[in-house]
Each structure stands twice: as C-alpha cells, then as structure tokens.
Amino acid sequence: MVSITAAPGGAETKRGHLHDMGLPILFGAVVLLVSATMLLAANISALRGNLARIDHSQQVLNQISKLEVERLGLELAVRGYALTGDKLFLQIQHEGNVRRAAALANMERLTASEPTRAPQYRKLMRDITNHAAIFDKLTDPGPDRTGIVVRAILDPKLRAMKYGIRDELAYLRAAEMRDLGVRQRDVTNQLARAFFLAVGIILAAFLLGGVGVWAVQIKAPKH
C-alpha cells in the first residue's frame, strides 16, 4: 500500500504567520503612541504661542481703555480746577498724569512686537502727550483761569486734536478686537484638531497593541 502524508494544515500556517507578525504590530503600536505624544507636544507649543498673542491683544486693549479714561479725566480735572480753584483737582490731574505715563510706557513696550501697526501707535502716543502738555499749562492759578480754560477748550485746533485722538483710539481698539477674535478662533480650531488627531492615533495604537499582544500569544506551529 502507498502511504499518504497529510500536508500541514492551513490553520496552523495562518497561526504561524500571525505569531510572526505579533512583534511588528506591537512595534507599530508603540510608534503610533510616540507619534501621538509628539503631535500633542507640537500642538501644545503652538497653542502657547496663540495664547500669548491673545494675552498680548488683551493687554493692548487694556492700555487703550486706560488712555481713554485718562484723557477724559485730564480734561475734567482741568475744568474742575478752573471753575472752583480747588487744589484737589490738581492732585487728581497729577495722579492721572502718572497713570497716563505708565499706560504710554506699557503701550510702547507692547507695540514693539507689532511692526505693521507700530507707526500708528507711535503717532497716537505723540498726540496724547502733546494734548496732555497743552492741558497741563492751563492750570494757571490767576484770576482769569476760567476764561483761559474756556478759550482753550473752544479752540478749533485743540478740539480737532481731541477728536483725532478719540478716533485713533477707536480705530486701534477695533483693529485689536479683530485680531483677538481671529486668534481666539485659531486656538479653538487648533484644540479641536489636536484632540481628534490625538484620540484617533491613540485609539489606533491601542487597537494595534491589542492585536499584537493577541498575535504574540498564539502558539507557533511545531516543525
């Protein structure tokens, strides 16, 4: 009789292939996890940059608000002193000058990193300084102090300067608000992209890791 030797079973061959693929699959899972970590690190770095720009816009807007308040406060203090002669208004004027100087210094520091808009800010700061210098000269203790202040306030050039500063502040505030909105949307979109990408990669890594562990545990066929 002729003996027939059975060929190796297809199932055992498949188990052998799966067993051999186990370690490469685990390695791929590790690579995906490392990739996810690097992706998160890169997005965190970029996110910090965007958050820093948002903080910058908020600081500039804060200084713009302070300059507006101090401009109005200076005029009111000078008018109050002209009408009453009360030196308390001079103290208010002095304190406002200190706050305005601090706001201008902060504005100069903040806008140094905005080369495209820096000329507009420098012009604004010069106009505010000149406007304040004019009002500082109006606190004359003489008998005609009221008339001096009234004539100055009604002077067309001074009024044009005042309205010009108001318009400059409004324009720069609107521009900073637009920048702030864009940066906030960028941060939101960046967070969403980073979240979905990281979750997808991590899920794929765990799935591959599970397949790899299962494949490694399969017993290789005996030869």
Side-chain angles (χ1 to χ4, degrees):
M1 293 180 63
V2 179
S3 61
I4 300 175
T5 304
E12 289 187 358
T13 303
K14 290 181 180 179
R15 285 199 300 271
H17 289 322
L18 287 173
H19 178 81
D20 294 339
M21 292 174 60
L23 289 178
I25 292 174
L26 285 175
F27 179 76
V30 172
V31 170
L32 279 176
L33 281 174
V34 172
S35 300
T37 302
M38 294 176 65
L39 174 66
L40 285 175
N43 276 274
I44 288 172
S45 178
L47 182 61
R48 286 176 178 171
N50 283 331
L51 289 175
R53 287 190 286 273
I54 288 175
D55 180 66
H56 176 273
S57 290
Q58 290 173 334
Q59 289 187 55
V60 171
L61 289 170
N62 186 37
Q63 300 309 314
I64 288 175
S65 296
K66 288 182 179 180
L67 290 173
E68 282 187 322
V69 170
E70 297 309 329
R71 180 184 66 82
L72 292 172
L74 173 62
E75 292 191 20
L76 292 175
V78 171
R79 290 183 185 187
Y81 178 69
L83 291 173
T84 66
D86 191 340
K87 292 186 177 181
L88 175 62
F89 288 104
L90 296 180
Q91 179 63 27
I92 294 173
Q93 179 186 3
H94 172 73
E95 293 173 355
N97 287 342
V98 172
R99 290 191 296 268
R100 183 181 62 254
L104 287 172
N106 288 333
M107 184 71 80
E108 185 176 9
R109 173 181 57 83
L110 290 167
T111 56
S113 61
E114 294 189 19
T116 58
R117 205 172 291 157
Q120 294 171 295
Y121 279 112
R122 285 196 294 268
K123 181 181 183 304
L124 170 66
M125 288 186 279
R126 285 196 303 269
D127 291 344
I128 289 176
T129 301
N130 293 335
H131 178 263
I134 292 172
F135 271 84
D136 284 342
K137 295 177 182 178
L138 297 180
T139 52
D140 184 357
D144 192 31
R145 61 175 180 268
T146 302
I148 292 173
V149 171
V150 170
R151 285 191 293 273
I153 291 174
L154 295 178
D155 182 79
K157 292 183 179 179
L158 187 59
R159 290 169 67 88
M161 180 184 292
K162 177 179 70 174
Y163 293 134
I165 292 172
R166 182 195 62 185
D167 293 342
E168 289 177 69
L169 287 168
Y171 172 81
L172 290 171
R173 173 189 281 108
E176 286 295 337
M177 288 294 293
R178 287 195 299 271
D179 289 349
L180 180 61
V182 170
R183 290 163 183 171
Q184 287 174 333
R185 286 192 295 273
D186 287 344
V187 167
T188 301
N189 294 334
Q190 191 175 26
L191 284 172
R193 286 194 301 268
F195 174 77
F196 287 115
L197 282 173
V199 168
I201 292 176
I202 290 172
L203 287 176
F206 276 106
L207 179 62
L208 279 178
V211 172
V213 171
W214 171 74
V216 168
Q217 290 177 344
I218 294 176
K219 293 183 179 180
K222 296 180 180 179
H223 298 287

